[in-house]
Amino acid sequence: MSKFKLLLAFFLFVGLSVKCQTTDSSFIGKWKFKEIYNSEIEDSASLKFLRNMFSNMTMYFKANKHYKSFLFKSEEGEWDFNENLRRLTLTANKGTQSQLEILSITKHILIASFAKNKSVILERAEVNPSDTIEEFTNKFLLISASADKICKKWYLSKREVPGRTEEQSKLVTELVGETYFNFKTNNTYETQAFEVKVDGIWKFGADNKSLILTIESTSIIWKIKNITETELVLMRGNTAETWTFSTKPK
């Protein structure tokens, strides 16, 4: 066998081995920022900025498929890994959903891509007792909806956030002005808040008991607490934040 074929066989073996070993269990544990991946391609000013931005980043993946992370702020939620796509999906308790491409993972090093040419190297870290404490999440009885019930224009009538009084919630709802979701049968939707209109894509989550709303690469999950012909009640993620909509504008 020629040297070229031997070299090709070696790289194929290494590539297949890495892919086969990337399982859910590979992620379990705590990771912290080590370095910017491919840092040599960045100029000194950009590299300094990126290092400062990610310097405090940590991610803790638990065996129960929950995670805790810190990047600018603390976040908790559920994680899932698609081995074929090498895609790690993080669904925060507040409903936001983000995805990372896993470039490589070993026992001690994890390389993840957040965006094109923006990747970080994480290393194993020690788990602290506080890492194992999980924030309280609400479990509500959810309603399964159908497209014909969802596909209409819904105007926000009330927004309730835990810790706020009814008067404060009413004031916030009034401040944002006319807010609505207009769900269409082609799985697109239009939304407005603070007089700014944005278009996106919607789809049902599991058992039609949630809505996944996506604008560009950002998704938010809303749980369906109740729906009638004239009223829609949504919960943001696993929180108790409740948005009540009506088919009639305020």
Side-chain angles (χ1 to χ4, degrees):
M1 185 180 288
S2 67
K3 289 184 178 179
F4 172 77
K5 289 182 178 179
L6 281 171
L7 191 61
L8 179 60
F10 170 77
F11 282 117
L12 283 173
F13 173 78
V14 171
L16 289 171
S17 298
V18 170
K19 185 174 182 180
C20 290
Q21 293 170 2
T22 307
T23 60
D24 283 358
S25 60
S26 303
F27 294 95
I28 295 173
K30 187 176 180 180
W31 305 83
K32 67 177 182 178
F33 175 77
K34 179 178 176 65
E35 181 57 281
I36 299 299
Y37 182 61
N38 283 342
S39 58
E40 65 276 5
I41 68 174
E42 303 286 348
D43 59 68
S44 58
S46 296
L47 187 58
K48 182 179 180 180
F49 172 78
L50 290 171
R51 282 173 173 164
N52 287 335
M53 182 169 67
F54 289 103
S55 61
N56 294 323
M57 177 184 177
T58 60
M59 305 189 79
Y60 178 31
F61 300 105
K62 305 182 183 183
N64 63 359
K65 303 306 288 286
H66 292 183
Y67 76 90
K68 295 183 77 169
S69 68
F70 184 86
L71 181 60
F72 310 124
K73 61 180 180 178
S74 297
E75 182 179 281
E76 296 188 37
E78 299 176 353
W79 67 273
D80 182 67
F81 179 63
N82 185 310
E83 186 177 358
N84 292 327
L85 299 177
R86 300 188 67 78
R87 181 180 298 158
L88 185 67
T89 300
L90 305 177
T91 304
N93 288 335
K94 292 185 178 180
T96 56
Q97 193 173 75
S98 57
Q99 294 180 329
L100 308 178
E101 180 185 358
I102 303 303
L103 303 182
S104 176
I105 185 169
T106 66
K107 186 176 180 180
H108 300 290
I109 294 294
L110 169 63
I111 303 176
S113 176
F114 289 82
K116 188 176 181 181
N117 298 325
K118 290 294 178 288
S119 306
V120 294
I121 301 173
L122 305 174
E123 62 181 350
R124 288 280 182 184
E126 184 179 350
V127 177
N128 301 318
S130 61
D131 293 328
T132 61
I133 301 173
E134 297 187 1
E135 65 183 7
F136 174 79
T137 56
N138 290 277
K139 302 297 181 182
F140 295 95
L141 180 64
L142 302 176
I143 300 297
S144 180
S146 59
D148 62 310
K149 278 194 171 183
I150 285 290
C151 290
K152 56 185 69 174
K153 194 170 185 178
W154 299 97
Y155 297 90
L156 179 66
S157 58
K158 185 194 299 185
R159 180 189 176 199
E160 299 170 276
V161 179
R164 290 181 183 170
T165 64
E166 186 174 346
E167 186 177 338
Q168 289 173 326
S169 296
K170 184 179 179 181
L171 180 60
V172 171
T173 304
E174 291 175 350
L175 282 174
V176 297
E178 185 179 76
T179 299
Y180 64 79
F181 283 134
N182 186 10
F183 298 109
K184 303 176 183 179
T185 55
N186 63 357
N187 287 103
T188 64
Y189 77 96
E190 179 185 80
T191 183
Q192 174 178 292
F194 293 105
E195 298 185 354
V196 177
K197 293 181 181 180
V198 182
D199 295 317
I201 297 172
W202 75 272
K203 66 178 181 179
F204 283 117
D207 301 321
N208 286 23
K209 292 183 178 181
S210 63
L211 296 171
I212 303 174
L213 310 186
T214 303
I215 297 175
E216 295 182 352
S217 59
T218 302
S219 298
I220 298 181
I221 298 176
W222 296 86
K223 305 290 182 66
I224 303 172
K225 187 178 181 182
N226 193 34
I227 185 169
T228 67
E229 291 299 324
T230 59
E231 185 179 81
L232 172 65
V233 183
L234 300 178
M235 314 290 295
R236 181 161 179 164
N238 293 324
T239 71
E241 183 176 330
T242 308
W243 292 47
T244 302
F245 296 84
S246 170
T247 51
K248 297 180 179 180
K250 292 185 295 182

